[in-house]
Amino acid sequence: MAESTTTITVTVNGTEHTRQVAPRTLLVDLIRDDLRLTGTHIGCEEGICGACTVTVDGQLVKSCLFLAVQADGKEVTTVEGLTPKGGTSRLQESFRDNFALQCGFCTPGMVVAADALLRENPDPSEQEIKEHLVGNLCRCTGYLSIIDAVRAAANQEVTS
């Protein structure tokens, strides 16, 4: 017996996509396997590590725990959607300049989460950054440089 599918329409990084998906298809699988946006990583597959973090209608979501059908009619932003055409964002440059990239596996989720924080709070304290990034793990334990990168990006925004 063939598995049933559902038609969904989701806007990812400003581009609308209509797809047939199985009801149990995860958003991360739609993003990576179908849309070929591989910046969103699959880590623990239990929503603990945050490597798969994206935003859905502006809210942070662990896409390994979010069904694709839940994204129907919504706007999804991945790390690719945060990169301006022809360059890198202030936050991405700050990660590079502050050596916050480490092995890079957690970086896309960290950047998406940090971007969401800076949109909500353009001048967060160190404690607010730590609290906001608690759902994103760095296996290289490079947290201090990640916090420095977010603070530096915030300072650039506040002074510009």
Side-chain angles (χ1 to χ4, degrees):
M1 182 170 151
E3 187 174 20
S4 68
T5 60
T6 301
T7 302
I8 64 168
T9 300
V10 59
T11 301
V12 179
N13 302 332
T15 302
E16 187 175 289
H17 302 273
T18 299
R19 296 288 191 271
Q20 291 283 327
V21 298
R24 60 187 169 92
T25 300
L26 296 172
L27 181 57
V28 70
D29 294 329
L30 175 74
I31 291 168
R32 288 183 57 84
D33 299 341
D34 194 42
L35 303 180
R36 301 287 184 208
L37 296 170
T38 56
T40 303
H41 291 169
I42 300 172
C44 66
E45 299 183 76
E46 296 177 355
I48 297 170
C49 75
C52 66
T53 302
V54 299
T55 62
V56 176
D57 283 350
Q59 300 297 310
L60 287 176
V61 166
K62 305 288 176 61
S63 61
C64 73
L65 297 179
F66 201 86
L67 296 172
V69 294
Q70 292 176 283
D72 186 25
K74 300 190 183 220
E75 301 227 2
V76 175
T77 302
T78 69
V79 71
E80 290 93 342
L82 300 179
T83 304
K85 290 194 184 321
T88 53
S89 71
R90 169 183 43 82
L91 181 59
Q92 291 166 329
E93 290 173 8
S94 186
F95 266 66
R96 180 195 62 218
D97 295 346
N98 286 279
F99 306 101
L101 300 171
Q102 304 293 323
C103 78
F105 192 82
C106 71
T107 304
M110 289 283 189
V111 169
V112 170
D115 182 78
L117 170 63
L118 295 177
R119 288 180 192 275
E120 182 180 300
N121 179 0
D123 190 22
S125 68
E126 182 176 325
Q127 186 61 35
E128 289 169 327
I129 295 168
K130 289 177 181 177
E131 290 171 6
H132 191 80
L133 296 179
V134 74
N136 294 78
L137 302 179
C138 173
R139 292 188 272 189
C140 303
T141 67
Y143 294 106
L144 294 178
S145 55
I146 291 168
I147 292 166
D148 289 346
V150 177
R151 283 293 313 141
N155 287 338
Q156 289 174 4
E157 182 66 28
V158 169
T159 58
S160 63

